[in-house]
Amino acid sequence: MTKTRAWTYEGTGLAWLQEQLGQPETGPGHVVAELVPSGFEAYVRIFHRFEASDGSGRSRTWQAWADDTAVPFHAELSHLSLRDEGRDGDGPRWQTEEGALDDRSRRALSRCLAGVTGDQAVFFAYDLAALCRGEEEPLVRRSTLADLETVREAVADAVGTSGPEFWWPQDRSWVVTSDYDLLSTYVGCSARTAERLLGDDELEALPVTPRTRVDWYADRP
């Protein structure tokens, strides 16, 4: 997870959000409050689905992998705690992408949020990806949830295919964060919206709090 930024946010579309994020913890690791502002009724972790590296199109949930290898499935589960079951060719048998929800989960999340957001404007922002690609400031696009994939395609040459790192509606009733360095997405929202996310069969999600650790070593000794 990114610890520092090389620019300020004054005058950018991300200014309001960055002003409300928590500071890095003094202890080990990082927490949800550093990714999503405080003040929401509920917070949800959405796990990025694992895909098979053999081109078969198979996918695997975190819970299925945890259950298969007798690892507890919980809100601070790290992918490093999932036991390696061997190698498939030159790469891992199961892999997922940092900073990007898999297509299936991203579509499901967008659908769930559309049910509470309607047609109001939604902002899609790229922070660290823009910094790494040499942009002069965070890249922010204003559109609707229905145009999420169109926005991703339009900015791919500038910031790659990960993200958006942040999305939120005009009324700021929820915020989605897919940190550039992490394998899960975090959402701050109302209790009712959290129920929608946690109850959706296409999403692998668990409730979290602002103090829940998010880094790769969250549940490591």
Side-chain angles (χ1 to χ4, degrees):
M1 176 180 169
T2 305
K3 297 181 180 179
T4 60
R5 305 295 194 213
W7 53 36
T8 61
Y9 295 90
E10 184 177 356
T12 73
L14 272 171
W16 76 273
L17 191 150
Q18 293 295 331
E19 290 172 358
Q20 297 183 36
L21 293 180
Q23 297 300 310
E25 290 285 279
T26 55
H30 298 274
V31 298
V32 171
E34 296 173 55
L35 303 175
V36 185
S38 60
F40 288 101
E41 286 185 317
Y43 295 82
V44 176
R45 175 183 180 180
I46 300 175
F47 297 82
H48 298 178
R49 189 178 298 270
F50 290 99
E51 307 289 343
S53 61
D54 58 6
S56 66
R58 293 175 298 157
S59 65
R60 191 181 197 184
T61 65
W62 289 59
Q63 181 164 16
W65 193 345
D67 290 347
D68 289 344
T69 55
V71 173
F73 178 64
H74 61 96
E76 292 186 337
L77 177 63
S78 167
H79 67 290
L80 299 178
S81 295
L82 299 174
R83 298 178 184 175
D84 188 356
E85 297 173 306
R87 296 282 177 176
D88 183 13
D90 295 328
R93 183 175 302 168
W94 299 101
Q95 56 192 18
T96 191
E97 188 174 354
E98 297 172 18
L101 272 168
D102 57 280
D103 293 345
R104 179 176 172 182
S105 298
R106 190 173 60 253
R107 287 193 297 267
L109 176 57
S110 179
R111 170 175 45 76
C112 286
L113 294 175
V116 298
T117 299
D119 295 330
Q120 69 174 287
V122 174
F123 296 86
F124 304 101
Y126 294 79
D127 183 4
L128 183 58
L131 176 63
C132 292
R133 294 295 187 102
E135 297 292 319
E136 294 183 358
E137 63 179 26
L139 184 64
V140 182
R141 292 291 182 266
R142 182 179 186 272
S143 192
T144 67
L145 275 175
D147 291 328
L148 170 58
E149 298 307 316
T150 301
V151 170
R152 294 183 75 245
E153 292 174 6
V155 301
D157 288 343
V159 291
T161 58
S162 65
E165 293 171 48
F166 300 95
W167 10 324
W168 66 90
Q170 183 77 48
D171 63 8
R172 300 178 183 174
S173 57
W174 49 260
V175 174
V176 175
T177 302
S178 296
D179 188 271
Y180 194 72
D181 295 331
L182 299 181
L183 302 179
S184 290
T185 288
Y186 294 84
V187 184
C189 56
S190 69
R192 179 173 296 182
T193 299
E195 289 180 6
R196 293 175 67 98
L197 301 181
L198 295 169
D200 192 280
D201 292 338
E202 295 296 306
L203 293 174
E204 183 175 26
L206 286 176
V208 293
T209 75
R211 309 314 321 156
T212 301
R213 277 186 58 178
V214 301
D215 56 280
W216 286 16
Y217 301 93
D219 67 345
R220 305 289 285 176

